[in-house]
Amino acid sequence: GAVVSQHPSWVICKSGTSVKIECRSLDFQATTMFWYRQFPKQSLMLMATSNEGSKATYEQGVEKDKFLINHASLTLSTLTVTSAHPEDSSFYICSASPSGGSEQYFGPGTRLTVT
Amino acid sequence: GQQLNQSPQSMFIQEGEDVSMNCTSSSIFNTWLWYKQDPGEGPVLLIALYKAGELTSNGRLTAQFGITRKDSFLNISASIPSDVGIYFCAGQLRGYNFGNEKLTFGTGTRLTIIP
């Protein structure tokens, strides 16, 4: 149980375009999902907390207009990287907590490369 | 953002050896989690600790929640090749209603097994 999926697993896009990444909890409902970014050989850095039915909470230094988050249902959150630049190239990982639970389960990650 | 200090940063061991790593924080957490991440994958939850002083085992893995609530350690006994990967600790401050609070990750410990 507690499986989280992400789509796509990898994506290459041109500079200036937008990319959408989906995060789904497959066998549980999640009122809260989290989006992380991980650069090579570094730890996970939280970007934002996504709450179903309300606005996301962004960490300091993360541009909310560039990284659009939508949590439209209890099983789906999306992250859209708008006007992507090469410095946005990274490994993006989402996590989800079962409603009422405290443990976070992570998706397999999405490798974004902006050319 | 804040990161927890993990040590050692990397370990090179022989198969069958025991492993010990720890994680320290300048602030208190009421939940400690240990994750393992394989290359190109999302982190997988290994052990969750909820009480100061708690000692929990999961197979060959043992983790303890420090009595000061500012540290935790993870031990792996009789290491095997599939133990290779990056181990992250994560601290969480859960609210009294067990809301889905964000995680603060450690800097990671990279485990390599020497043939």
Side-chain angles (χ1 to χ4, degrees):
Chain A
V3 178
V4 177
S5 71
Q6 278 184 244
H7 178 80
S9 56
W10 60 270
V11 58
I12 301 173
C13 71
K14 291 186 177 181
S15 188
T17 61
S18 296
V19 173
K20 180 185 285 188
I21 302 171
E22 293 185 348
C23 177
R24 294 182 185 271
S25 56
L26 299 185
D27 52 1
F28 65 96
Q29 294 185 330
T31 53
T32 305
M33 292 183 174
F34 302 85
W35 286 96
Y36 296 82
R37 182 166 50 184
Q38 186 178 32
F39 291 106
K41 297 188 177 181
Q42 293 189 20
S43 186
L44 284 76
M45 296 301 294
L46 180 66
M47 299 175 66
T49 302
S50 169
N51 298 296
E52 187 267 338
S54 64
K55 291 183 178 180
T57 303
Y58 291 82
E59 294 299 298
Q60 190 173 9
V62 178
E63 300 175 57
K64 63 180 180 180
D65 294 330
K66 179 171 183 62
F67 299 98
L68 302 179
I69 291 174
N70 183 277
H71 194 153
S73 76
L74 288 172
T75 59
L76 173 64
S77 175
T78 60
L79 168 69
T80 301
V81 183
T82 62
S83 187
H85 290 283
E87 56 265 31
D88 298 325
S89 298
S90 187
F91 194 50
Y92 292 86
I93 312 174
C94 72
S95 71
S97 290
S99 298
S102 59
E103 295 157 7
Q104 289 186 26
Y105 297 91
F106 285 79
T110 296
R111 172 79 57 195
L112 170 63
T113 302
V114 184
T115 61
Chain B
Q2 179 191 6
Q3 285 189 328
L4 307 179
N5 295 315
Q6 260 183 267
S7 65
Q9 186 175 15
S10 59
M11 302 184 73
F12 296 86
I13 63 168
Q14 291 187 324
E15 184 176 350
E17 286 187 32
D18 296 342
V19 172
S20 183
M21 61 189 78
N22 62 50
C23 189
T24 58
S25 170
S26 58
S27 53
I28 290 173
F29 293 101
N30 56 21
T31 298
W32 284 90
L33 304 166
W34 283 92
Y35 289 88
K36 177 176 182 279
Q37 185 179 30
D38 292 329
E41 301 285 337
V44 174
L45 181 64
L46 299 175
I47 291 181
L49 301 161
Y50 300 107
K51 295 181 182 179
E54 179 182 354
L55 183 70
T56 297
S57 293
N58 178 9
R60 294 179 296 105
L61 278 60
T62 301
Q64 183 158 31
F65 191 150
I67 200 72
T68 64
R69 295 195 288 163
K70 292 183 177 181
D71 63 320
S72 176
F73 73 73
L74 174 71
N75 289 339
I76 305 173
S77 63
S79 58
I80 60 177
S82 61
D83 291 335
V84 168
I86 303 176
Y87 292 79
F88 290 103
C89 63
Q92 183 184 50
L93 267 179
R94 285 179 294 123
Y96 289 104
N97 62 350
F98 295 96
N100 297 319
E101 302 296 339
K102 63 184 181 182
L103 298 178
T104 300
F105 272 83
T107 48
T109 294
R110 183 181 296 271
L111 179 63
T112 302
I113 294 184
I114 306 168

